[in-house]
Amino acid sequence: MGKKVTKAIFPVAGMGTRFLPATKSVPKEIMTLVDRPLVQYAIDEARAAGIKEFIFVTSRGKGALEDYFDHAPQLEQELKKKGKEELLETLKNTNMDSGEIAYIRQHRALGLGHAVWCARRLIHNEPFAVMLPDDVIAAEKPCLQQMVEAYEETGGSMVAAMEVPANKASSYGILDVDNDMGSMVSVKGMVEKPAEGTAPSNLAVIGRYILSPNIFRHLNQIKSGAGGEIQLTDAIAREIGGEGDGVYGYRFRGQRFDCGSKAGFLQATVAFGLARDDLRDDLEGYLNEIVASRKAAE
Ligand code: UTP
């Protein structure tokens, strides 16, 4: 039985080069999906899963992200004066209490594994979650909550997994499955970005993890891997066999959008727009119009 998971690390120190020039001055994580920044979706998901401490691994140029979590008394006062209760409530829900959020700097972008390692002194001998805010997951029950519930039964380490087409496997960490139990698989190996045709399965790891604190010991030892970066996948793989607590892949129920890519971000914008009562009709009408006019032009 796993211990309670109350801390989450949000590695947001990457350069976001796929969104240049926007990311020259706007951190990718505060880019807006409908009306809230990507990071707000991750925070809401974390809270639903019982996370109480939020640790951000940031880098130079991410000041706007830190500002986003500050209270905005002047704005709140203004909304109150104007009787805009609903907006006031929305705003208040984005506030973080003092001491609930911490920022650690990753001085050089040496990879996701290195970013997680930077937060090692804030995690004691307890399991913790890692969430990548550019993976946005639409789900009835938030993805991390699904994972925490499963983790409380299994212990070990757990990664969110989803099926990907064979020709996309080389963009992901891929699981080598030992035992397939349906919503969960036990894992006998993991490979980061396997060369084409060598992936051990079609189950890819996406940006939600529940990790054993042993991971820091492994991260202390590993050298850079795929792409010259210190890979989190390589550290998790060391939990398999031997003295490790084991690794499980969890097939979450929900739809994941890769908001770190332009196509994924646009798809998420449409999907989240269509899910909103106040936007659905207009957006749907517009989409139908475009599709019809493109068809007519063919
Ligand atoms: P990505 O591979 O998406 O890299 O990182 P990126 O820099 O954000 O974006 P591109 O590829 O240049 O467009 C996955 C996650 O790991 C974090 C990123 O911030 C993102 O949340 N990361 C990556 C770090 O925190 N530090 C690193 O050194 C690398």
Side-chain angles (χ1 to χ4, degrees):
M1 173 110 167
K3 281 193 201 165
K4 271 230 155 326
V5 184
T6 60
K7 294 184 181 177
I9 300 176
F10 301 79
V12 293
M15 287 186 277
T17 54
R18 282 170 290 172
F19 277 98
L20 280 170
T23 43
K24 222 175 125 190
S25 68
V26 181
K28 176 171 69 172
E29 302 71 26
I30 59 164
M31 292 198 324
T32 313
L33 186 53
V34 185
D35 55 8
R36 57 195 65 206
L38 290 183
V39 72
Q40 186 66 51
Y41 292 89
I43 292 284
D44 291 346
E45 184 182 330
R47 277 202 204 284
I51 299 298
K52 306 274 186 258
E53 287 179 53
F54 304 82
I55 301 162
F56 280 79
V57 182
T58 67
S59 57
R60 186 183 296 271
K62 303 274 178 174
L65 180 88
E66 300 191 19
D67 291 347
Y68 173 75
F69 289 115
D70 274 352
H71 289 227
Q74 220 175 348
L75 191 54
E76 284 179 18
Q77 243 168 30
E78 210 51 40
L79 292 174
K80 207 175 201 166
K81 228 168 37 195
K82 292 189 172 146
K84 301 204 163 168
E85 293 302 325
E86 215 174 304
L87 276 181
L88 194 61
E89 203 46 41
T90 306
L91 201 64
K92 280 189 174 159
N93 286 337
T94 67
N95 289 346
M96 301 293 266
D97 286 338
S98 300
E100 205 182 26
I101 188 161
Y103 302 97
I104 286 277
R105 198 90 156 193
Q106 185 190 27
H107 294 104
R108 284 197 294 156
L110 296 178
L112 176 59
H114 181 262
V116 169
W117 181 77
C118 289
R120 66 198 177 283
R121 295 210 166 85
L122 296 179
I123 305 278
H124 304 291
N125 193 23
E126 63 206 308
F128 60 97
V130 174
M131 301 181 77
L132 307 189
D134 43 8
D135 272 339
V136 176
I137 301 167
E140 221 160 276
K141 182 184 277 190
C143 177
L144 192 68
Q145 189 182 353
Q146 296 176 35
M147 289 174 72
V148 163
E149 287 172 10
Y151 169 82
E152 282 170 358
E153 304 291 320
T154 60
S157 287
M158 183 172 282
V159 298
M162 72 174 203
E163 255 109 48
V164 295
N167 64 352
K168 294 273 161 61
S170 58
S171 309
Y172 293 89
I174 300 289
L175 301 180
D176 192 354
V177 175
D178 185 19
N179 189 12
D180 193 332
M181 298 163 279
S183 64
M184 200 128 69
V185 300
S186 62
V187 171
K188 62 177 178 210
M190 292 172 78
V191 213
E192 184 60 38
K193 302 192 174 59
E196 232 176 289
T198 65
S201 79
N202 64 349
L203 259 191
V205 177
I206 61 120
R208 301 288 182 275
Y209 310 76
I210 297 175
L211 301 178
S212 144
N214 297 341
I215 295 298
F216 293 116
R217 201 157 28 87
H218 305 317
L219 284 169
N220 270 333
Q221 291 163 1
I222 62 174
K223 304 257 176 317
S224 48
E229 297 195 333
I230 295 177
Q231 296 290 352
L232 185 60
T233 307
D234 295 344
I236 302 172
R238 293 197 177 198
E239 277 295 279
I240 302 167
E243 286 167 29
D245 296 334
V247 177
Y248 298 88
Y250 182 77
R251 285 192 179 96
F252 59 96
R253 293 173 304 283
Q255 192 180 1
R256 172 256 189 181
F257 294 92
D258 175 11
C259 291
S261 78
K262 288 184 268 253
F265 203 106
L266 289 171
Q267 286 160 17
T269 301
V270 173
F272 279 72
L274 288 174
R276 286 269 297 255
D277 292 341
D278 56 335
L279 299 173
R280 184 179 307 114
D281 290 349
D282 275 359
L283 184 56
E284 201 165 48
Y286 177 64
L287 291 174
N288 286 337
E289 230 173 77
I290 305 185
V291 172
S293 74
R294 288 178 71 101
K295 273 207 178 127
E298 270 170 19

